[in-house]
Amino acid sequence: MHVLFHNFFGEPSAMNSTICPTFSISEIVCLPPIKIPFYFAIRQNLLDGIPDTYLALAAPVLAYWIVSLTFYCLDISGWRWLGKYRIHESEEVKSRNLATPGEVVRAVVVQHITQTALGLAWLSEPPGFSVAQCQSEMEVLGRTLVSVVQHVIGEERGLKFLEIWGPEITHWLYWWGIPAAQILFALFIVDTWQYFLHRLMHTNKYLYRKIHSVHHKLYVPYAFGASYNHPVESFFLDTICAVIAESILTMRQTIFVLAFSMCKTVDDHCGYNLPFDPFQMISGNNANYHDIHHQTIGIKSNFSQPFFIHWDTLLGTRMTRKDIQERKQKVKTT
């Protein structure tokens, strides 16, 4: 297969100096010079001197404590305006939770050390990449695009369409469309794994009593207690999810997903229903939603975590504040 390559600065390479008159001629796919999007760095490691594998292990830990400490600062700030956004009064954390903050911090630190050690044993250095490799992969994608478009709208119309839009579509698919689809698929798999495993830990009395009840010692959740779990639960719920993400995504995507997931998980336990919180705006699975699950009335509901609530909705395990009020009202009338 013959392909026109361009170097990083947009000049045709020595492999082919002919400029293609159209997007596709026979076995040739003509692509414009690569335009590297803002989010991508053409170097082996994002941070010089730090392998991406190490960054993938460090990113979720750093995210956990940065976001947790941010909410802790809000907790101790004494700002009155925060009162209307608190899901529970501060005194409830002290009076109703069965684990002390010191116990929670120690357990989370041990968990992070264990997961980092396992990650060092599991992760391997990702393969290198170059501009030429990106161009080659885009050429393969362009050929696939030609085949699909011609099959859907016909050869003649397809070639006319691609003559105008082919390079732009190929560029968008390679740098935005396919990566976004990969990340969304990974989030869906993680959500599915966590929903059914989380639900099993509530419906199986032995698993709940011996393992998952540790997390529910925090009747009133708070940010740095988000990962306060039994070690077995930490392995199956968190470590396995990281392995799933790494097997689906590139190392750079894995770094983003792990850090984002950790921020979202901490935010879901923060104890605040903040209208300006971006994590609480992207999904109905937020701090208020998960808080219901930590209460006695909702402990068999709202199993979804950490992203979306589709499984709760489809399988009838979703509970809202309105549902709680209706149940309480029904008890009063009976």
Side-chain angles (χ1 to χ4, degrees):
M1 185 174 291
H2 193 47
V3 57
L4 175 67
F5 283 87
H6 294 75
N7 66 24
F8 182 74
F9 299 101
E11 297 298 328
S13 74
M15 293 185 64
N16 191 336
S17 59
T18 304
I19 301 301
C20 306
T22 61
F23 176 70
S24 174
I25 299 178
S26 183
E27 294 298 310
I28 299 174
V29 172
C30 182
L31 295 172
I34 285 184
K35 298 177 182 178
I36 307 297
F38 72 90
Y39 71 83
F40 195 80
I42 293 289
R43 53 177 179 266
Q44 184 61 28
N45 298 304
L46 280 174
L47 302 179
D48 292 335
I50 302 177
D52 280 352
T53 50
Y54 291 177
L55 188 58
L57 296 174
V61 176
L62 291 174
Y64 187 93
W65 291 108
I66 290 171
V67 178
S68 293
L69 289 173
T70 299
F71 281 111
Y72 179 70
C73 290
L74 294 181
D75 289 339
I76 64 175
S77 66
W79 293 335
R80 293 185 178 180
W81 64 270
L82 280 173
K84 62 182 178 180
Y85 299 120
R86 293 183 190 273
I87 299 175
H88 297 278
E89 296 296 331
S90 299
E91 290 304 314
E92 285 190 83
V93 177
K94 300 177 182 178
S95 63
R96 303 180 75 178
N97 286 343
L98 302 178
T100 67
E103 291 173 334
V104 171
V105 169
R106 285 192 294 272
V108 173
V109 169
V110 170
Q111 175 187 325
H112 286 168
I113 292 173
T114 303
Q115 289 177 338
T116 300
L118 291 171
L120 287 171
W122 170 262
L123 292 177
S124 58
E125 189 69 19
F129 51 83
S130 63
V131 174
Q133 178 185 341
C134 294
Q135 189 81 19
S136 179
E137 292 173 349
M138 290 180 68
E139 186 271 343
V140 174
L141 178 60
R143 292 301 306 151
T144 303
L145 178 65
V146 171
S147 178
V148 171
V149 170
Q150 288 181 338
H151 180 75
V152 173
I153 64 176
E155 182 173 349
E156 185 177 348
R157 286 196 297 174
L159 289 176
K160 289 181 179 179
F161 173 82
L162 291 173
E163 184 176 351
I164 301 173
W165 298 106
E168 288 78 6
I169 294 175
T170 303
H171 181 276
W172 182 87
L173 285 173
Y174 184 80
W175 293 110
W176 298 96
I178 293 176
Q182 289 172 321
I183 290 174
L184 287 174
F185 179 68
L187 300 188
F188 172 78
I189 296 298
V190 168
D191 264 3
T192 301
W193 174 263
Q194 293 216 5
Y195 173 86
F196 287 102
L197 186 58
H198 187 194
R199 183 171 179 173
L200 177 64
M201 288 186 176
H202 277 275
T203 55
N204 184 293
K205 293 182 179 179
Y206 178 83
L207 291 177
Y208 182 82
R209 186 174 66 253
K210 294 294 185 179
I211 297 177
H212 191 55
S213 61
V214 171
H215 183 68
H216 279 272
K217 287 182 179 180
L218 300 183
Y219 186 84
V220 180
Y222 49 83
F224 62 84
S227 289
Y228 177 61
N229 298 314
H230 189 283
V232 173
E233 178 175 352
S234 295
F235 176 79
F236 282 100
L237 222 60
D238 299 324
T239 306
I240 295 298
C241 279
V243 172
I244 292 172
E246 191 270 338
S247 64
I248 296 174
L249 305 172
T250 66
M251 186 59 67
R252 300 276 176 90
Q253 290 172 327
T254 299
I255 294 170
F256 168 77
V257 167
L258 293 182
F260 178 77
S261 300
M262 192 58 77
C263 290
K264 180 71 170 61
T265 298
V266 172
D267 194 89
D268 289 346
H269 291 80
C270 71
Y272 291 92
N273 190 15
L274 298 172
F276 49 81
D277 186 329
F279 293 102
Q280 297 188 25
M281 295 168 64
I282 63 174
S283 168
N285 194 351
N286 49 34
N288 185 56
Y289 187 86
H290 192 68
D291 180 78
I292 293 173
H293 173 73
H294 274 261
Q295 310 310 309
T296 303
I297 193 170
I299 200 167
K300 293 296 181 68
S301 304
N302 294 12
F303 299 117
S304 293
Q305 56 183 34
F307 300 112
F308 306 109
I309 62 172
H310 53 276
W311 287 120
D312 275 323
T313 303
L314 292 170
L315 300 179
T317 55
R318 181 185 178 189
M319 179 178 285
T320 64
R321 295 291 180 187
K322 182 179 179 182
D323 295 329
I324 294 175
Q325 293 300 321
E326 290 177 351
R327 287 192 183 189
K328 291 180 177 179
Q329 189 64 34
K330 186 178 293 186
V331 171
K332 289 181 180 180
T333 57
T334 57

